[in-house]
Amino acid sequence: MNNLLEYLISKNEKISFAESITGGALVSSLVIHNNASKVLSEAFVLYSNEAKSKYLNIDLNYIDEYGVVSSKVAEIMSINLNKVTNANLCICT
């Protein structure tokens, strides 16, 4: 994760996370490094379907149709996380 941090700093880019299954482990592995605040925009742990709907505007019917653990839901999470945070890199699990 330190290499990613250095890369983002060199490009003056921001990263954000919306984690579910990983429960915040990814952002945790970033913030243990010095200067993480230079690149971290925002991070969310959205474990419940209701939280995904509330904070990332994901329709619960969409989750029911495709399943919460699906590439379709992860894609929508990423798109909507970008809308919320405007980060250059959005990581969703």
Side-chain angles (χ1 to χ4, degrees), residues 61-78:
N61 293 321
Y62 196 84
I63 292 173
D64 288 340
E65 180 178 347
Y66 292 100
V68 70
V69 182
S70 68
S71 60
K72 295 279 188 188
V73 171
E75 179 182 4
I76 293 294
M77 286 175 69
S78 180

Side-chain angles (χ1 to χ4, degrees), residues 6 15-17 23-24 26-27 33 37 39-40 44 49 53-54 56 60 63 66 68 77 85-86 89 91-92:
E6 290 174 7
I15 188 171
S16 61
F17 296 85
L26 295 178
V27 71
H33 298 284
S37 62
V39 300
L40 181 59
F44 300 90
N49 293 347
S53 178
K54 179 179 179 178
L56 294 181
L60 291 173
I63 292 173
Y66 292 100
V68 70
M77 286 175 69
T85 66
N86 204 30
L89 181 60
I91 307 294
C92 298

Side-chain angles (χ1 to χ4, degrees), residues 4-86:
L4 175 61
L5 175 62
E6 290 174 7
Y7 174 81
L8 292 171
I9 290 171
S10 74
K11 299 294 183 182
N12 196 32
E13 293 186 346
K14 298 290 184 181
I15 188 171
S16 61
F17 296 85
E19 297 185 65
S20 184
I21 196 167
T22 52
L26 295 178
V27 71
S28 178
S29 69
L30 176 71
V31 299
I32 62 171
H33 298 284
N34 291 335
N35 296 316
S37 62
K38 290 182 177 181
V39 300
L40 181 59
S41 177
E42 297 176 62
F44 300 90
V45 176
L46 305 172
Y47 207 75
S48 72
N49 293 347
E50 292 76 15
K52 291 174 186 71
S53 178
K54 179 179 179 178
Y55 294 102
L56 294 181
N57 197 31
I58 298 175
D59 189 320
L60 291 173
N61 293 321
Y62 196 84
I63 292 173
D64 288 340
E65 180 178 347
Y66 292 100
V68 70
V69 182
S70 68
S71 60
K72 295 279 188 188
V73 171
E75 179 182 4
I76 293 294
M77 286 175 69
S78 180
I79 290 167
N80 290 354
L81 181 63
N82 179 258
K83 291 176 184 175
V84 169
T85 66
N86 204 30

